[in-house]
Amino acid sequence: MSAVPAATAAATPPGVSTPEPPRRGRRGPRRGAVTEALAAYGFLAPGLALLATFVFVPLAGAAALSLQRTNGFGDGVWVGLDNYARLFTDPVFWRATLNTVLFTLVVTPGSMALGLGAAVLLNSVLPARGLFRSVLILPMAVSGVATALIGVLVFDQNSGFANAVLRALGLPGVDWQSGGTAAFVTVVLVTLWWRTGFNMLIYLAGLQGVGREMIEAATLDGAGPWQRFRYVIVPMLGPSSFFLVIMNVIYSFQVFDIVFVLTGGGPRNATTVLVTYAYDNGFVTRDQGYAATIGVFLLVVSLVFTALRWRTSRTRDLVG
Amino acid sequence: MPLTRRQLLTAAGAASAPLALGACGGFSTSGRDAGASAAPGTVTFTTWGTDSELAGLRSAIASFEQANSGVKVTLNAVPYEQMFTTIDAQLQAGKAPDVFRVPYYTFGSYAGRGQLLDLSSHLESGFADRFTPQAWAAVQNGGKPYGVPHHTDTSVILYNKALLESAGVTEVPTRLEDAWTWQEFEAVAKRLRENLPDDKWPFAYNWQGNGVTRWLSWLFEADGRFLTDDLTAAAIDSDAGRAAVEFTQGFFRQNLVPQNSSVKSSTYAADLWYSGTTAMNFGGAFLVPDATSTVDFEWGVTFPPRDARSAGDFGGNALVATKGVEDPALVAKFLDHVTQKQPMADFCAGASLLPTRADLVQEGIEFTVRPELSPVFVAQAGAVLPQDSGQVASPSMSAIITVLKDQLEEAFVGDQDAATTVRNLADGIGAAVAR
């Protein structure tokens, strides 16, 4: 992680000269540097070739497909921006977009807050913290499909564990599968269970990079536990938070397996998200041109969000 | 020992070499080897299937190879979930297997879009006569056969004897012509509702997922259609269409089925029945082996209800050949072999599936498991008419399935009225066939 020049300059006492950066020769870069650059590109080439083959070429293909009307086989018919115009008049697309945004707004802060809480707890002198860390990280080792199947066992509204517990407590069962809001809640809860471990892991690494002397200094200055957490630890976790926001938002935009298995997008599209809608169009209806259009929309939204977050984050490069 | 930059770069280069070589060579897929048409005298065949279905197919392949010296059939068994995304990708890439298995409701998507071999000139004259008319109608496109009907299946009612008896229902129809009418069936369901505890339901219908096509049985029972005779326009906006929607919508409104058993539910009707949550379950013969080995209650089968007539879903699968096969004559010979009397009888008896050959239907068939149930399934299959199965072979069926799912979900869970539902179905189906 690179240091921030502005911070360094501000920390330099007045009157003390700073060392100048090494000067390049007037005849341009030295010969060794050219060879070094060539070698670097040579070693980068296989990775770039893979990236081009499996990322950029398919992306270009998807963009081209989004301009065609297709029926699953053979060449498509070029229809220009018709598929994009269709997005604006498609109520299911807007419902899927709304669901995706709502899912992102709930899951991203939710899983980060739970992850941070667990990390702080497990970074302390909690007994058997190794065991607790393993338990929290374990869901990461389970595939999304298996996670969703576990979710089905819990939230089956007739024979699931959740309603059995509610009824044992004398409470009425919840329509987890046939109620729109309840179904959305099941998707969120299962996702939080799955994602908290990852967030905890990143925060735990960040916490272990926070110097003990910083905490001690804050304590000596009279900061209480909450103040130490809020004004020392949280700012020091800036890069971890930056990374997690990007990762969680991208994951949330692309959520598929949990929804596909747990609710199938129902009831009445209450849990349909952009990727499940694209899947339905591409592989059930075989309208692959329109499915590609939804995919391109998703890509653009993800890129715009990442760029905005990159430009507006002040703490992304501070410490790691 | 500290590494120099040169040593580090050399090590990184060595580590990345396998990736680079992998990129140059391309990644092999299991589908390619078993999928593409290969040496002369070889037929590649991709399918999914239960253990008993695969055993039946392997047996048919063995007898075909024995009867045709030097010929080799390569069977590639894949999970159902991956079957059609793989087949579609292979067709796009020109690497499809010679023969593959396809549900009737998916058949039209391939046949209508020029992906299958027209078998007209490769099958002996009179070949069509070996099948029931409804089975032969299900593999036609533009009046030509693009596959062979390998087996069928149709839904009947599987019932939990104890739960029915607890509601005083001790007798069920034992002949097709005595099947409950819609009103009688509804009366039985209401009686069950009154006598069952709140966490149990009278029945569940098997229309989840792509099983939504099974809702069409209600439409056919009301003597309705969803496509015109020439399959080019919607025909569901009718009294029969409205009656079918209104009657099935009543299942949810009257709490006769679990609310989570709608068409987009991730809970399948069979699972609800296995767990004792429902007293009756609409299901096919393919459930018989699992039900026999899984459930711990006594159960039987009876005929589904009728309205203007009896009807049923034309389930099951066809075998089709891809357009670019190297040896169409050999492939046609293979398709001929697996639909001969003995291979089909062995396959259907072992897998608890129904034959498509008229002679086997006439003579009857005995499942290996619970043979006494076979007559009910065979008789119910006879209630499927060619005009019904022919509609399901529409090339637009994949888009129609989406329309059915969306609109029926609105009617069942969203309380959309029957007239609006049927109008929306007509609009959606019309747009699908016009695309």
Side-chain angles (χ1 to χ4, degrees):
Chain A
M1 197 66 73
S2 63
V4 178
T8 309
T12 307
V16 177
S17 63
T18 52
E20 291 184 11
R23 289 181 179 175
R24 288 177 175 173
R26 288 185 180 178
R27 293 178 184 174
R30 59 192 168 82
R31 203 173 58 187
V34 174
T35 312
E36 200 172 273
L38 284 175
Y41 281 118
F43 285 117
L44 280 172
L48 289 174
L50 286 174
L51 202 63
T53 307
F54 294 107
V55 177
F56 296 126
V57 170
L59 275 181
L65 194 60
S66 73
L67 303 173
Q68 299 173 50
R69 187 174 65 237
T70 57
N71 64 12
F73 301 106
D75 295 331
V77 178
W78 288 91
V79 292
L81 297 174
D82 279 10
N83 285 332
Y84 290 91
R86 185 175 154 194
L87 287 180
F88 290 98
T89 57
D90 179 355
V92 181
F93 165 75
W94 288 113
R95 180 65 198 259
T97 304
L98 181 69
N99 287 343
T100 308
V101 170
L102 194 59
F103 178 82
T104 305
L105 289 176
V106 176
V107 165
T108 300
S111 60
M112 286 178 64
L114 288 171
L116 179 58
V120 169
L121 201 62
L122 297 179
N123 195 43
S124 64
V125 289
L126 187 76
R129 59 183 177 173
L131 176 69
F132 287 120
R133 284 178 186 175
S134 304
V135 167
L136 276 169
I137 292 170
L138 209 56
M140 282 176 61
V142 181
S143 78
V145 172
T147 303
L149 287 171
I150 294 168
V152 171
L153 289 177
V154 174
F155 292 111
D156 186 299
Q157 71 186 54
N158 301 316
S159 56
F161 177 73
N163 272 358
V165 170
L166 289 173
R167 289 188 186 115
L169 296 171
L171 299 168
V174 176
D175 290 340
W176 297 114
Q177 293 172 300
S178 58
T181 306
F184 193 84
V185 168
T186 66
V187 173
V188 168
L189 290 177
V190 171
T191 307
L192 287 178
W193 176 73
W194 195 41
R195 296 286 298 176
T196 295
F198 173 74
N199 288 269
M200 184 205 69
L201 193 66
I202 301 298
Y203 272 133
L204 202 54
L207 280 173
Q208 290 175 356
V210 176
R212 185 172 294 276
E213 63 278 8
M214 295 278 288
I215 308 292
E216 286 171 359
T219 308
L220 287 173
D221 285 345
W226 170 251
Q227 288 167 315
R228 288 199 297 273
F229 176 73
R230 172 67 186 85
Y231 298 108
V232 180
I233 294 175
V234 170
M236 294 296 283
L237 291 174
S240 302
S241 297
F242 174 76
F243 171 74
L244 285 175
V245 167
I246 299 286
M247 294 303 291
N248 281 307
V249 168
I250 290 175
Y251 163 76
S252 300
F253 278 150
Q254 296 179 350
V255 61
F256 174 75
D257 40 14
I258 298 269
V259 175
F260 188 73
V261 175
L262 190 60
T263 65
R268 299 177 66 205
N269 297 319
T271 57
T272 297
V273 289
L274 285 168
V275 183
T276 58
Y277 190 48
Y279 176 89
D280 284 344
N281 275 287
F283 295 106
V284 179
T285 313
R286 286 198 170 87
D287 191 351
Q288 290 163 348
Y290 191 52
T293 308
I294 298 167
V296 170
F297 171 82
L298 195 59
L299 172 71
V300 170
V301 170
S302 300
L303 287 177
V304 167
F305 171 79
T306 307
L308 283 175
R309 184 73 191 127
W310 183 265
R311 289 183 70 85
T312 55
S313 173
R314 290 178 300 171
T315 56
R316 63 173 188 263
D317 289 336
L318 275 180
V319 288
Chain B
M1 184 187 75
L3 284 174
T4 65
R5 180 160 46 193
R6 186 179 298 277
Q7 286 170 323
L8 183 66
L9 289 174
T10 306
S16 65
L19 285 176
L21 291 173
C24 295
F27 294 104
S28 67
T29 64
S30 60
R32 190 179 188 284
D33 295 338
S37 184
T42 300
V43 176
T44 54
F45 175 24
T46 297
T47 185
W48 77 95
T50 61
D51 290 346
S52 50
E53 287 172 348
L54 293 176
L57 289 170
R58 287 197 179 99
S59 170
I61 287 170
S63 58
F64 178 67
E65 287 176 343
Q66 199 171 16
N68 296 274
S69 180
V71 169
K72 173 80 180 159
V73 179
T74 308
L75 181 72
N76 181 30
V78 300
Y80 178 75
E81 291 74 17
Q82 294 168 15
M83 176 79 190
F84 294 104
T85 46
T86 305
I87 289 287
D88 287 7
Q90 289 176 331
L91 284 167
Q92 293 273 24
K95 304 283 186 190
D98 295 324
V99 176
F100 66 96
R101 188 185 192 200
V102 62
Y104 296 110
Y105 64 78
T106 308
F107 161 82
S109 303
Y110 295 105
R113 287 166 187 161
Q115 301 302 308
L116 303 182
L117 179 70
D118 175 4
L119 295 168
S120 307
S121 57
H122 302 291
L123 299 172
E124 62 187 34
S125 66
F127 182 81
D129 298 340
R130 70 172 67 167
F131 301 103
T132 61
Q134 55 268 46
W136 191 243
V139 292
Q140 305 299 305
N141 184 262
K144 294 176 179 172
Y146 284 85
V148 294
H150 185 222
H151 67 88
T152 182
D153 199 14
T154 194
S155 297
V156 303
I157 296 174
L158 291 79
Y159 62 89
N160 179 324
K161 284 187 179 175
L163 288 181
L164 251 62
E165 282 170 8
S166 72
V169 182
T170 52
E171 288 190 4
V172 297
T174 53
R175 298 189 312 159
L176 181 64
E177 50 272 32
D178 296 334
W180 287 319
T181 63
W182 279 10
Q183 289 70 32
E184 287 169 340
F185 173 73
E186 190 176 61
V188 168
K190 283 180 176 174
R191 195 166 165 183
L192 281 161
R193 177 66 285 163
E194 287 166 8
N195 288 279
L196 290 173
D198 288 348
D199 61 349
K200 295 191 188 299
W201 280 264
F203 71 98
Y205 197 79
N206 53 343
W207 45 34
Q208 295 79 26
N210 283 344
V212 72
T213 52
R214 296 187 183 117
W215 175 83
L216 296 169
S217 297
W218 301 101
L219 178 68
F220 299 150
E221 284 160 16
D223 215 14
R225 300 180 59 92
F226 67 101
L227 289 175
T228 52
D229 282 340
D230 59 3
L231 311 184
T232 58
I236 198 170
D237 196 352
S238 61
D239 288 343
R242 279 180 288 279
V245 171
E246 200 165 342
F247 186 68
T248 50
Q249 188 178 47
F251 302 164
F252 291 86
R253 288 181 170 176
Q254 299 176 86
N255 202 25
L256 302 179
V257 296
Q259 295 298 311
N260 64 333
S261 65
S262 184
V263 293
K264 285 196 176 179
S265 176
S266 53
T267 301
Y268 284 85
D271 295 332
L272 291 164
W273 185 70
Y274 286 150
S275 65
T277 305
T278 53
M280 298 185 286
N281 170 50
F282 285 77
F286 68 93
L287 292 176
V288 170
D290 273 355
T292 304
S293 62
T294 305
V295 302
D296 55 2
F297 52 79
E298 203 178 341
W299 60 279
V301 299
T302 185
F303 296 94
R306 61 190 161 84
D307 188 39
R309 63 177 168 97
S310 279
D313 54 299
F314 194 74
N317 301 289
L319 297 180
V320 295
T322 45
K323 195 176 184 178
V325 294
E326 291 206 355
D327 191 346
L330 179 64
V331 165
K333 205 171 181 181
F334 175 65
L335 296 177
D336 169 64
H337 179 82
V338 291
T339 55
Q340 283 177 12
K341 192 171 180 181
Q342 199 56 47
M344 185 181 286
D346 291 345
F347 175 83
C348 289
S352 291
L353 291 166
L354 304 174
T356 50
R357 286 183 64 102
D359 50 2
L360 286 174
V361 172
Q362 184 71 29
E363 293 167 19
I365 187 167
E366 286 208 338
F367 298 151
T368 306
V369 178
R370 299 284 304 263
E372 78 280 9
L373 303 180
S374 314
V376 175
F377 288 99
V378 174
Q380 181 58 31
V384 179
L385 301 183
Q387 68 199 53
D388 303 339
S389 57
Q391 290 176 74
V392 179
S394 160
S396 306
M397 208 58 209
S398 53
I400 291 172
I401 282 174
T402 303
V403 176
L404 285 172
K405 275 185 189 173
D406 287 343
Q407 291 307 315
L408 292 176
E409 179 87 344
E410 287 298 325
F412 297 163
V413 185
D415 222 23
Q416 178 174 269
D417 67 79
T420 308
T421 303
V422 169
R423 209 165 40 245
N424 292 347
L425 281 169
D427 291 345
I429 291 170
V433 292
R435 196 180 294 159

